[in-house]
Amino acid sequence: MARWTVRIDPAWSLDAWRDAARLALRRGVAPEQLDWLQDQEHSLLDAPPLPASEDAGDAPTYVSKAFVELAATCLCHRDPQRLPLLYRLLWRIARGERGLLSNPTDPDVLRAMALAQAVRRDTHKMKAFVRFREVPGEQDAFIAWFEPEHHIVDRVAPFFARRFTGMRWAILTPSRSVRWDGQALSFGAGGRQADAPLEDAREALWRTYYANIFNPARLNTRMMQQEMPARYWKHLPEATLLPALVRDAGDRVQDMHDRAAQAPQRRIPERSIALRGPATATGDDLDALRTAAAACRRCPLWEPATQTVFGEGPRDAKVMLVGEQPGDAEDLSGHPFVGPAGQLLDQALGELGIDRSTLYLTNAVKHFRFERRGKRRIHSTPQVTHITACRPWLLREIEHVRPAVIVCLGASAATAVFGAGFKLMDNHGRWHALEDGTRAFATVHPAWVLRQPAGTARDAAYRLLLDDLARLPRAGDSADPAT
Ligand code: URA
């Protein structure tokens, strides 16, 4: 029996595989006569290369789109047997088994499906777990190190180009690298982990946040390992915390169980002031307004909350940031934006060179709305009725501070400022003029950024927040910021 070799280079190329398979098929070479080589591999059988010939044998075989897709996906797998497997499938289809792919009990079909599934899973994990780190000293340039199991860099790269169009980035893997210069993708040889930056400042913040939201009572290590297999941990900053968090989870749950239920610290405000809200808040300075708001009962949220969290900042601030409502940390401390979302906001402002102490920070709703789960207080989004009830306080704050620019963080703040029906994701970062001429725009809430899955989704969300906040005037900018 004559034997031939065919070579696929690069090993995952559908075009290269298709050319070789078409040639072999036209020449009537059976699967058992072919030795498939990838990249620069040598033939152990010393078989000669299959000669290209112009004298076509059989007419070309047309295969379904499903087969082409299956082949393209399987080719990204590292198993060298995928090459003869795919040719065997093609050969059988060409010999009359037209419905082969719909036979789920056929061993060749089963194997090909399993290989494709493994590639899809690896692709999904790369999209989720790639972490870009800023290149020190360069603006908007990021490098990520990642170790995929299969040849998926070319397959995944367009996803990152769409997600991170506005920045320059590179992803290095041991066998291939890809770069995006803002215009086009270019591929090259593999890199080394040492060529990627070690850690950037943002990662410490992710870790703080992760440690804060980690709930030991909900730990399910089997699910965790399934969703986030240990081999990807090295790419995730929070993973360094996991062994200790998992190890201590049992003790912490026991501790939560043993601890007596903790009543929220609640200061019941004086009933005599402003029972009906701002209608009685006639004082003409912010302090009087703050005192009146401390006694607000315009909606039921005051009752379970610890206290009213009023706005803070210079009373002549040029920029007012409006959040949704205080969170757990804000409710207990009485100050806006001091919890994890506030820390992320600080991080973003810091990166943009904006001094937080020059801003007036407030919320659309001034009491913490939450649900109790055991001993924990879980944030619950305020309803339009709560936003409407609290709106007069916000309007009075705006009246007093007279900011040149208002930024709404998240949909609740946008509802309070622009009215119900404002579509945040369609309009974020876009300037609007309010009735009194104040310029305003909305962007995503930092807490929403923190809720995104770690990795590319969260990086993209943070980027969106940064890009929108970059519209804010900095010290020394000209008078009209809204251009
Ligand atoms: N989220 C908000 O919207 N406001 C805060 O003050 C804190 C978290």
Side-chain angles (χ1 to χ4, degrees), residues 309 322-327 330 335-339 341-342 362-363 409 445 447:
V309 180
V322 185
E324 178 192 74
Q325 63 168 359
E330 290 79 12
H335 302 287
F337 287 102
V338 293
T362 190
N363 283 299
L409 299 171
H445 196 289

Side-chain angles (χ1 to χ4, degrees), residues 170-236:
I171 303 175
L172 310 181
T173 81
S175 55
R176 194 150 170 85
S177 62
V178 54
R179 287 186 163 66
W180 169 255
D181 61 7
Q183 309 282 329
L185 289 168
S186 52
F187 295 88
R192 292 172 315 142
Q193 183 164 19
D195 298 331
L198 273 176
E199 154 147 351
D200 65 23
R202 230 172 285 160
E203 293 178 14
L205 182 68
W206 294 145
R207 270 196 290 270
T208 310
Y209 175 70
Y210 192 87
N212 269 292
I213 56 152
F214 182 86
N215 180 352
R218 301 188 71 187
L219 176 65
N220 179 339
T221 42
R222 198 177 57 81
M223 276 291 286
M224 190 183 219
Q225 274 165 18
Q226 208 169 308
E227 279 309 302
M228 198 174 30
R231 71 169 174 281
Y232 297 109
W233 287 21
K234 57 178 167 285
H235 302 296
L236 306 174

Side-chain angles (χ1 to χ4, degrees), residues 256-330:
M256 282 159 80
H257 187 261
D258 295 344
R259 215 180 313 140
Q262 226 173 35
Q265 312 161 6
R266 179 146 71 81
R267 244 192 301 124
I268 308 277
E270 293 275 319
R271 271 176 184 270
S272 56
I273 321 170
L275 270 181
R276 297 215 182 95
T280 56
T282 50
D284 59 326
D285 84 354
L286 264 177
D287 291 335
L289 201 59
R290 180 190 313 278
T291 310
C296 181
R297 308 268 204 283
R298 291 177 59 86
C299 78
L301 293 188
W302 70 272
E303 178 134 39
T306 308
Q307 56 194 313
T308 303
V309 180
F310 202 69
E312 282 180 3
R315 50 198 66 209
D316 58 350
K318 295 272 165 301
V319 176
M320 176 183 282
L321 298 196
V322 185
E324 178 192 74
Q325 63 168 359
D328 189 69
E330 290 79 12

Side-chain angles (χ1 to χ4, degrees), residues 312-317 346 349 354-361:
E312 282 180 3
R315 50 198 66 209
D316 58 350
D346 287 351
L349 294 173
I354 299 171
D355 181 357
R356 170 173 168 151
S357 69
T358 63
L359 310 176
Y360 187 89
L361 289 165

Side-chain angles (χ1 to χ4, degrees), residues 421-430 432 442:
F422 184 87
K423 294 215 173 1
L424 180 63
M425 289 323 254
D426 291 347
N427 287 297
H428 71 89
R430 245 189 238 157
H432 298 265

